[in-house]
């Protein structure tokens, strides 16, 4: 067979109709294996790889395999398990690194590592499975099923990410690196709005095969290409018209110490961590900075009560500087009974005696990491939070804007609080920047810290606010209001990085409307699907 004939034969086999027919003809067991493979492959779309075509292939294959479920004897059960298997692999690849926190903690937690690695993705996949079951129940045919699929999967993402798990990690929007052209659309309708578009656009090739006329089957893909081109062009123009500008009177020292969790919490670890943070804070040029930032979990002790550290800082910060540090703190409730918080404290060293300017207690706590659900039951089994110093933290009262630290007013967000869209303090003062401190040392050299950084950069785009980020064994640096990073600090770097604070950008449409643009798009899409379905059933 000559090359031309081989090429023609290959192109014939790769036609969408032929590929869909092949998938529909698979046995149930082979279909399950294919779905697991598609899910694993789709995981390449997330950070740090960002190979977004993998998700296009995965979603297209999933929809074609769900077409078989629609005609199955028990369509909802079939669709649930097929969607679940795909999502288990896809979501599991994105969050397997959580298991490293349990292995790092040691003791009884080591036993739970494998269960978290496999069970975490399975738990999240249940929500996708439920969406797949509803999709099959609707028994949609033709191109309209693409939009319905995107609507239902986004609802599943919201269910797993907001009220139930409080873990909106690796949204579909995050396949595009923050700071790039397409990511700029988050300034208009947020990461959730971009996620909806990603699901609809990436699923559109599935419409090329299946019921419908040729023009009808091509329309979703053509419309998707036009929308994607518009997102890229408008985002590129937005970036080309801006440059990062900085405050001249705010210089921030980021202190990075490369110390692992086992060493920090071992006997003598508190003294080791304290000495290294103090030594680096006192590095050359400290007299030229206005603020010093220590990350979450910098010292394995209560900093506010640590007279040795405070005394040493008084000798180092002699020019009126302010320390912004992550620290656990405790509050006496009654005799020998304390309530504990994961906090950020602002301490001014402007007088002979240091003065606390402000406190923020973390509001959104990590399940099992900082607070144990059903703690009274699990504690009887010897299961407590992953924290070493305390059994568990209490949530803070509310988000705050700190406006008396000598810097422009800012919104402090601790660790994974930065993953939530739309967080804002109950204050009339608009913050001029976000301070995100984190302890990513739990997760070793996995995808977790990279994904955390990418999500933090999306918050900058959504809010129009620069982000100063300080993460223990994570990625620190400066993020401007467009998600770009003029200063980036590697996760294993030990030393100091003196940076200037970027100016805030204009208030974004997403902030002004509280995501109304996204909600209108989503609701109109639901109405469009409903109208098409009703018309088709009336004709029948």
């Amino acid at each position: 067979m000559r090359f031309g004939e081989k090429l023609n034969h290959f192109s014939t086999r790769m036609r969408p109709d032929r590929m869909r027919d092949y998938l529909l003809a698979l046995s149930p067991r082979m279909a399950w294996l294919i779905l697991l493979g598609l899910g694993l492959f789709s995981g390449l779309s997330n950070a740090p790889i960002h190979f977004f075509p993998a998700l296009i292939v995965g979603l297209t294959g999933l929809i074609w395999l769900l077409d078989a479920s629609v005609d199955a004897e028990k369509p909802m059960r079939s669709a649930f398990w097929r969607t679940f298997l795909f999502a288990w692999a896809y979501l599991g690849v994105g969050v397997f690194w959580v298991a490293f926190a349990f292995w790092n903690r040691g003791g009884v937690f080591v036993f739970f590592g494998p269960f978290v690695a496999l069970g975490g993705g399975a738990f999240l996949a249940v929500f996708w499975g439920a969406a797949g079951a509803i999709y099959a129940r609707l028994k949609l045919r033709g191109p309209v099923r693409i939009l319905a699929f995107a609507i239902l999967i986004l609802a599943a993402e919201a269910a797993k990410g907001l009220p139930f798990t409080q873990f909106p990690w690796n949204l579909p929007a995050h396949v595009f690196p923050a700071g790039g052209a397409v990511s700029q659309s988050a300034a208009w309708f947020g990461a959730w709005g971009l996620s909806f578009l990603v699901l609809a656009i990436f699923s559109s090739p599935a419409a090329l095969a299946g019921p419908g006329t040729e023009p009808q089957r091509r329309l979703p893909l053509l419309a998707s290409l036009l929308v994607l081109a518009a997102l890229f062009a408008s985002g590129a123009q937005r970036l080309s018209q801006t440059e990062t500008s900085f405050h001249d009177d705010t210089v921030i020292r980021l202190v990075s110490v490369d110390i692992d969790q086992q060493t920090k919490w071992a006997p003598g670890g508190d003294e080791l961590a304290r000495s290294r943070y103090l030594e680096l804070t006192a590095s050359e040029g400290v007299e030229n900075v206005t603020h010093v930032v220590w990350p979450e979990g910098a010292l394995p002790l209560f900093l506010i009560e640590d007279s040795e550290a405070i005394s040493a800082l008084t000798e180092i910060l002699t020019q009126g500087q302010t320390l912004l540090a992550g620290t656990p703190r405790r509050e006496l409730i009654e005799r020998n009974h304390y309530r504990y918080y994961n906090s950020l404290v602002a301490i001014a060293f402007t007088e002979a005696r240091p003065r606390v300017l402000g406190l923020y207690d973390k509001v959104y706590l990590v399940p099992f990491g900082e607070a144990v659900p059903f703690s009274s039951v699990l504690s009887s089994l010897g299961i407590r939070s992953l924290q070493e110093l305390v059994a568990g933290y209490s949530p803070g009262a509310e988000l705050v804007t700190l406006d008396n630290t000598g810097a422009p007013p800012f919104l402090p967000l601790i660790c994974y609080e930065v993953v939530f869209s739309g967080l804002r303090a109950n204050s009339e003062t608009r913050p001029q920047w976000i301070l995100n401190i984190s302890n990513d040392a739990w997760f070793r050299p996995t995808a977790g810290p990279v994904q955390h950084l990418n999500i933090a950069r999306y918050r900058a785009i959504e809010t129009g606010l620069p982000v100063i980020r300080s993460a223990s064994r994570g990625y620190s640096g400066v993020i401007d209001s467009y998600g770009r990073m003029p200063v980036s600090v590697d996760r294993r770097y030990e030393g100091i990085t003196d940076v200037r604070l970027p100016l805030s950008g204009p208030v974004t449409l997403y902030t002004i409307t509280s995501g109304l643009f996204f909600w209108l798009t989503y609701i109109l899409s639901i109405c469009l699907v409903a109208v098409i379905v009703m018309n088709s059933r009336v004709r029948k």
Side-chain angles (χ1 to χ4, degrees):
M1 185 181 294
R2 289 179 297 182
F3 176 75
E5 294 175 342
K6 290 182 179 180
L7 182 62
N8 183 59
H9 178 69
F10 176 77
S11 62
T12 300
R13 294 187 63 181
M14 294 300 292
R15 288 179 55 187
D17 282 324
R18 292 288 298 271
M19 290 190 289
R20 177 176 178 271
D21 290 342
Y22 170 79
L23 292 176
L24 293 180
L26 293 173
S27 66
R29 182 172 297 179
M30 184 57 66
W32 286 12
L33 291 175
I34 293 293
L35 285 164
L36 287 171
L38 287 172
L40 290 172
F41 182 62
S42 298
L44 298 177
S45 62
N46 291 317
I49 299 175
H50 289 294
F51 183 62
F52 69 84
L55 187 57
I56 298 175
V57 173
L59 294 178
T60 299
L62 173 60
I63 291 175
W64 285 343
L65 284 164
L66 286 177
D67 287 344
S69 294
V70 172
D71 296 321
E73 181 180 352
K74 297 181 178 179
M76 294 184 68
R77 186 172 73 175
S78 173
F80 173 87
W81 285 112
R82 292 191 170 201
T83 312
F84 171 85
L85 287 171
F86 173 87
W88 184 22
Y90 168 56
L91 299 175
V93 167
V95 300
F96 80 95
W97 48 267
V98 175
F100 280 81
F102 289 78
W103 289 323
N104 258 333
R105 178 66 167 81
V108 67
F109 292 95
V110 174
F111 173 77
F112 291 97
F115 293 96
V116 172
L118 297 174
F123 174 71
L124 298 177
V126 169
F127 300 99
W128 275 54
I134 296 172
Y135 173 86
R137 178 68 178 83
L138 295 175
K139 293 185 177 298
L140 297 176
R141 313 279 181 175
V144 68
R145 74 194 196 282
I146 306 303
L147 188 56
F149 175 83
I151 291 170
L152 290 169
I153 295 300
L154 188 74
E157 282 289 310
K160 79 175 182 61
L162 296 179
F164 293 102
T165 67
Q166 290 195 347
F167 197 64
W169 199 270
N170 284 343
L171 296 180
H174 298 153
V175 301
F176 292 108
V182 176
S183 70
Q184 299 305 306
S185 60
W188 308 316
F189 36 73
W192 286 101
L194 179 56
S195 292
F196 179 52
L197 292 179
V198 166
L199 288 170
I201 292 170
F202 284 16
S203 302
S204 63
L208 294 174
T213 64
E214 192 69 21
Q216 288 175 337
R217 292 191 295 178
R218 291 180 178 178
L219 181 60
L221 180 58
L222 292 175
S224 295
L225 291 174
L226 288 175
V227 171
L228 186 59
L231 292 177
F232 181 85
S234 57
Q237 182 181 25
R238 186 172 190 260
L239 290 172
S240 67
Q241 294 177 343
T242 61
E243 293 184 358
T244 306
S245 301
F246 299 88
H247 289 272
D248 293 326
D249 56 352
T250 304
V251 180
I252 300 171
R253 168 161 290 188
L254 304 178
V255 182
S256 304
V257 171
D258 183 26
I259 183 171
D260 60 69
Q261 291 296 101
Q262 289 87 350
T263 302
K264 182 188 294 185
W265 291 102
D270 53 350
E271 296 181 5
L272 175 64
R274 182 197 295 119
S275 64
R276 286 165 74 169
Y277 271 98
L278 291 173
E279 179 181 353
L280 289 172
T281 300
S283 298
E284 182 179 358
V286 66
E287 68 278 1
N288 298 320
V289 305
T290 58
H291 296 76
V292 175
V293 175
W294 288 3
E296 177 195 25
L299 304 184
L301 46 78
F302 301 104
L303 175 62
I304 301 175
E305 303 176 22
D306 185 29
S307 59
E308 185 173 343
I310 297 299
S311 177
L313 285 166
T314 303
E315 300 295 325
I316 296 169
L317 304 179
T318 60
Q319 304 298 315
Q321 297 99 326
T322 298
L323 174 70
L324 305 172
T327 179
R329 78 174 188 92
R330 56 186 176 182
E331 186 177 89
L332 184 64
I333 304 303
E334 56 187 41
R335 185 177 181 182
N336 296 325
H337 181 67
Y338 291 90
R339 182 178 292 133
Y340 299 94
Y341 298 96
N342 185 3
S343 306
L344 179 139
V345 61
I347 305 176
F349 292 85
T350 55
E351 303 171 358
R353 185 173 184 179
R355 181 165 52 98
V356 174
L357 298 177
L359 275 171
Y360 167 66
D361 299 321
K362 186 178 181 183
V363 175
Y364 296 91
L365 302 177
V366 180
F368 295 100
E370 295 169 316
V372 179
F374 314 110
S375 58
S376 59
V377 176
L378 295 179
S379 61
S380 65
L381 302 176
I383 301 173
R384 47 180 281 178
S385 78
L386 292 175
Q387 297 300 316
E388 298 268 7
L389 189 61
V390 301
Y393 289 118
S394 298
E398 61 180 356
L399 297 168
V400 301
T401 298
L402 296 181
D403 56 6
N404 62 340
T405 65
F410 68 92
L411 174 68
L413 295 176
I414 299 176
C415 190
Y416 99 133
E417 286 184 320
V418 80
V419 309
F420 294 98
S421 293
L423 291 187
R424 63 184 69 184
N426 186 19
S427 171
E428 296 181 358
T429 303
R430 182 201 181 204
Q432 297 300 298
W433 56 295
I434 296 171
L435 176 60
N436 176 219
I437 58 172
S438 184
N439 181 10
D440 291 353
W442 290 102
F443 309 116
R444 299 183 182 177
T446 63
V450 183
Q451 294 169 358
H452 202 178
L453 173 65
N454 188 53
I455 297 171
R457 295 170 69 177
Y458 265 93
R459 292 296 83 75
I461 300 170
E462 284 182 342
T463 60
L465 299 177
V467 177
I468 299 296
R469 190 159 195 272
S470 176
S472 296
R473 279 203 165 185
Y475 294 92
S476 304
V478 177
I479 306 169
D480 74 4
S481 57
Y482 297 87
R484 300 170 297 198
M485 288 197 73
V487 179
S488 179
V489 181
D490 188 75
R491 61 177 300 274
R492 293 301 303 271
Y493 171 75
E494 175 156 339
I496 53 101
T497 307
D498 294 343
V499 301
R500 289 189 296 160
L501 176 65
L503 296 174
S504 60
V507 182
T508 62
L509 178 64
Y510 175 76
T511 300
I512 294 173
T513 64
S514 298
L516 180 62
F517 191 29
F518 153 62
W519 282 110
L520 287 175
T521 304
Y522 190 66
I523 293 172
L524 287 175
S525 298
I526 295 174
C527 293
L528 177 60
V529 170
V531 168
I532 293 174
V533 171
M534 291 174 63
N535 285 340
S536 65
R537 292 180 178 176
V538 167
R539 290 174 185 173
K540 292 180 180 179

